[in-house]
Amino acid sequence: MNRTAALLSLLLAVPAALAEELAVNPDAGNSGFSAIFDAALGERINAVSSAVGCTVTFDEKTSLAAGRCSVPLTSIKVDADETKSGHFHDWATNKKSDPKACTLEAVFSGVKLGPLAPEKPAAFAAQIPFTVCGRTRADGGKERLAGTALLFPPGAYGEKKTIRIRATIAAFDRDAYRIGPGYTEGWLARVQSLAKVVAPTGAVELSLFAKAK
């Protein structure tokens, strides 16, 4: 009787162990991060990076995903301009830490991506906490991420299963994370002149290819 109970317990535990591990390779160049800030009276600023890295656990039975994604601050380029990029790095760190040690990061769990099927993008939405150089949003809130997930079975996009995720945060507020000249030493004298040309809120877009390990 004890052996039967032990076997039943083992069988019940198997589905939880079948959750699959996937990863987004930050060096592959096929995944990307883009943030567009378009000021009504000023300029359109586009910050981009292709160095998005993720580790994801996906349970095909429940269609739930959990994991962590991050973008190194120094990989983000603003309008392909070194000076603008340097300014953004100053604003993100508030000149209080080394930009090389800073990441933009999201840790998530219980995100329902499916059910997934080839050639049929599945819509999803989730509330996800973000941090910038370790700082959470000032109000402690999360960002609403909405997008689609598409399954590529083995052989369709490489040898292993791949899930392509495209998602957008429609209104990402830099001020909520204290990113900007007003929070950065040495920039205070420029705040007024920049107020009308630097938009504090923009759209953040992600395009990720998560491959099975």
Side-chain angles (χ1 to χ4, degrees), residues 10-101:
L10 178 62
L11 290 174
L12 290 174
V14 167
L18 293 179
E20 191 169 15
E21 291 188 355
L22 301 99
V24 176
N25 182 356
D27 299 320
N30 58 353
S31 296
F33 158 94
S34 176
I36 299 173
F37 297 89
D38 198 358
L41 299 178
E43 61 181 322
R44 180 185 178 93
I45 297 172
N46 193 8
V48 301
S49 172
S50 61
V52 185
C54 300
T55 55
V56 181
T57 300
F58 179 67
D59 189 328
E60 193 167 356
K61 184 177 181 180
T62 62
S63 296
L64 295 177
R68 170 185 174 273
C69 291
S70 64
V71 182
L73 175 63
T74 52
S75 74
I76 299 174
K77 304 301 179 185
V78 178
D79 294 340
D81 183 279
E82 290 300 323
T83 299
K84 288 184 178 181
S85 300
H87 291 170
F88 179 72
H89 299 165
D90 283 350
W91 296 359
T93 61
N94 302 150
K95 295 182 72 174
K96 293 179 179 178
S97 61
D98 185 348
K100 293 179 181 178

Side-chain angles (χ1 to χ4, degrees), residues 79-154:
D79 294 340
D81 183 279
E82 290 300 323
T83 299
K84 288 184 178 181
S85 300
H87 291 170
F88 179 72
H89 299 165
D90 283 350
W91 296 359
T93 61
N94 302 150
K95 295 182 72 174
K96 293 179 179 178
S97 61
D98 185 348
K100 293 179 181 178
C102 173
T103 60
L104 282 66
E105 186 173 273
V107 178
F108 55 92
S109 62
V111 177
K112 194 170 184 66
L113 294 182
L116 302 182
E119 300 182 6
K120 294 181 180 180
F124 72 92
Q127 298 286 335
I128 294 178
F130 276 75
T131 59
V132 176
C133 300
R135 301 190 302 271
T136 59
R137 210 166 77 173
D139 62 1
K142 301 178 181 181
E143 303 295 341
R144 185 180 188 278
L145 189 75
T148 60
L150 177 64
L151 173 66
F152 290 92

Side-chain angles (χ1 to χ4, degrees), residues 154-178:
Y157 190 83
E159 298 179 355
K160 298 181 179 181
K161 176 195 291 185
T162 301
I163 299 175
R164 187 200 70 197
I165 298 171
R166 289 178 175 170
T168 301
I169 300 172
F172 186 88
D173 186 355
R174 293 202 317 258
D175 283 338
Y177 295 88
R178 301 169 292 285

